[in-house]
Amino acid sequence: ITTSLSLMFLIYLIPDAINEPHGYAYPEDKKIHIHADLKVYDNDEEINLYTEENMEKNSFFHFHDGKDQENVIHFEGKKGTLADFLETIDTSQLDNCIKNQYEKKETLYYFRVNGNPPELDYTDYLVNDLDKLLLKCGNEPPTQEQINSVGNLACIQSKNC
């Protein structure tokens, strides 16, 4: 019986454990329900991470499909970083950017929160409700046009427009 219960428990955990990001240390809290707008660029090319294969990949950090959901990240039950979210989805569209960083051995990305560079990197900054997140890979900082292109749909999901 103990073995059966242990196996049932593991089977219950496996689906989320596969897509579970490493490094966040916050316990599950049903009251946490954060929405943030996201835009990603590789130099001047917009990268669309809001794709069918990236929907609902993780129970805590994910995209939802539907009206007014485009490029809105949902953090449900746990606080997290943009890096936590990116670990749970297919980011192969950023492979060229990542490859260039390793070849040049320097950081070639810019992170903006609500239009400004935060004090913390995207791997450490805890996303807050209604944040407007921009991640740009490349040699040049984001243009004002790119900063302004970050959506404004998170407020609809948070019912706080």
Side-chain angles (χ1 to χ4, degrees), residues 135-150:
L135 185 63
K136 181 186 178 190
C137 187
N139 295 319
E140 300 293 322
T143 64
Q144 192 60 48
E145 183 179 333
Q146 288 171 328
I147 291 169
N148 293 342
S149 75
V150 179

Side-chain angles (χ1 to χ4, degrees), residues 96-108:
N96 198 30
C97 170
I98 293 165
K99 179 181 167 201
N100 288 338
Q101 285 191 53
Y102 284 112
E103 286 175 357
K104 295 183 180 185
K105 296 188 172 118
E106 58 184 294
T107 301
L108 299 173

Side-chain angles (χ1 to χ4, degrees), residues 15-70:
D16 277 338
I18 291 169
N19 286 316
E20 207 59 46
H22 317 291
Y24 66 84
Y26 295 92
E28 185 173 357
D29 180 346
K30 299 291 185 199
K31 293 180 215 151
I32 294 174
H33 199 146
I34 294 169
H35 303 96
D37 292 292
L38 172 66
K39 194 68 89 153
V40 178
Y41 286 93
D42 186 351
N43 289 300
D44 293 329
E45 180 187 349
E46 183 179 336
I47 302 296
N48 181 21
L49 298 177
Y50 185 78
T51 61
E52 186 175 326
E53 59 270 7
N54 282 339
M55 296 298 145
E56 307 280 345
K57 296 279 285 201
N58 177 277
S59 60
F60 300 115
F61 316 125
H62 53 262
F63 283 130
H64 284 299
D65 193 15
K67 185 178 182 335
D68 296 328
Q69 298 280 357
E70 188 173 354

Side-chain angles (χ1 to χ4, degrees), residues 58-128:
N58 177 277
S59 60
F60 300 115
F61 316 125
H62 53 262
F63 283 130
H64 284 299
D65 193 15
K67 185 178 182 335
D68 296 328
Q69 298 280 357
E70 188 173 354
N71 294 320
V72 175
I73 303 172
H74 295 251
F75 291 76
E76 297 178 21
K78 290 188 185 283
K79 291 184 178 186
T81 66
L82 179 56
D84 290 330
F85 168 74
L86 292 175
E87 285 182 27
T88 68
I89 65 170
D90 174 15
T91 56
S92 59
Q93 295 175 55
L94 296 173
D95 285 352
N96 198 30
C97 170
I98 293 165
K99 179 181 167 201
N100 288 338
Q101 285 191 53
Y102 284 112
E103 286 175 357
K104 295 183 180 185
K105 296 188 172 118
E106 58 184 294
T107 301
L108 299 173
Y109 65 85
Y110 296 86
F111 179 49
R112 299 291 184 265
V113 177
N114 303 321
N116 301 304
E119 291 181 22
L120 298 171
D121 191 62
Y122 79 97
T123 59
D124 297 315
Y125 174 81
L126 288 175
V127 175
N128 293 297

